[in-house]
Amino acid sequence: RSAHQQFSRPPRGDTIGRNRLAAFGSERYDAALYLKRFLAHYARVLSLVPCCQLLVIDVTAGDGWERLGPFLGLSRKTDRAMPRINPGIDGGADLARAKAEADELFRRGDVDGDGFLTFQELETIIRTL
């Protein structure tokens, strides 16, 4: 559903269209092609990344901190729910507040200021939750 919504919007600028074409083989939504590309990517990741360095979780099925924490070597338990922002469901002020909180966490966590989070920076953020 998310992919269909994303592809239903016309690309804004050439970059998005080129990215869609490179990643999915089409600038337009094609469910079969999208699924084929996703499964190929998933299989490639599984074949390249050692299982001890890869955690596959499904947050929509309820996977959360209880799996992510031990994988990251975090022993502290938390009662907080996994962060979730879904603009299709959580609109308006709730979305703006959640996005502002996420942006602030990112800014505090991006210690070197390069705009990307290293594994260590991500671990530091998670420990604050």
Side-chain angles (χ1 to χ4, degrees):
R1 193 178 104 188
S2 175
H4 182 263
Q5 289 174 346
Q6 177 67 25
F7 277 84
S8 295
R9 298 182 198 115
R12 289 173 286 182
D14 293 338
T15 303
I16 293 175
R18 282 195 310 269
N19 288 345
R20 287 179 179 176
L21 188 59
F24 305 107
S26 173
E27 290 185 28
R28 296 195 181 354
Y29 180 71
D30 179 332
L33 180 60
Y34 179 80
L35 181 60
K36 180 181 175 184
R37 289 288 180 113
F38 169 77
L39 292 174
H41 170 75
Y42 187 70
R44 181 163 166 75
V45 168
L46 291 177
S47 72
L48 293 174
V49 180
C51 62
C52 62
Q53 296 177 2
L54 179 67
L55 174 66
V56 178
I57 64 173
D58 183 352
V59 293
T60 64
D63 290 344
W65 296 119
E66 72 283 347
R67 292 201 51 219
L68 181 59
F71 178 77
L72 295 174
L74 304 174
S75 59
R76 192 187 90 172
K77 303 259 186 218
T78 181
D79 293 331
R80 290 185 62 166
M82 289 288 286
R84 176 184 162 277
I85 298 175
N86 184 339
I89 296 171
D90 309 325
D94 289 340
L95 176 61
R97 180 187 46 74
K99 184 175 180 333
E101 289 174 5
D103 288 345
E104 178 57 26
L105 274 176
F106 183 89
R107 275 192 294 279
R108 282 190 282 145
D110 186 20
V111 176
D112 56 13
D114 65 356
F116 298 94
L117 293 177
T118 64
F119 192 69
Q120 185 175 6
E121 289 170 332
L122 181 60
E123 283 181 319
T124 302
I125 289 174
I126 290 170
R127 283 191 183 104
T128 68
L129 298 176

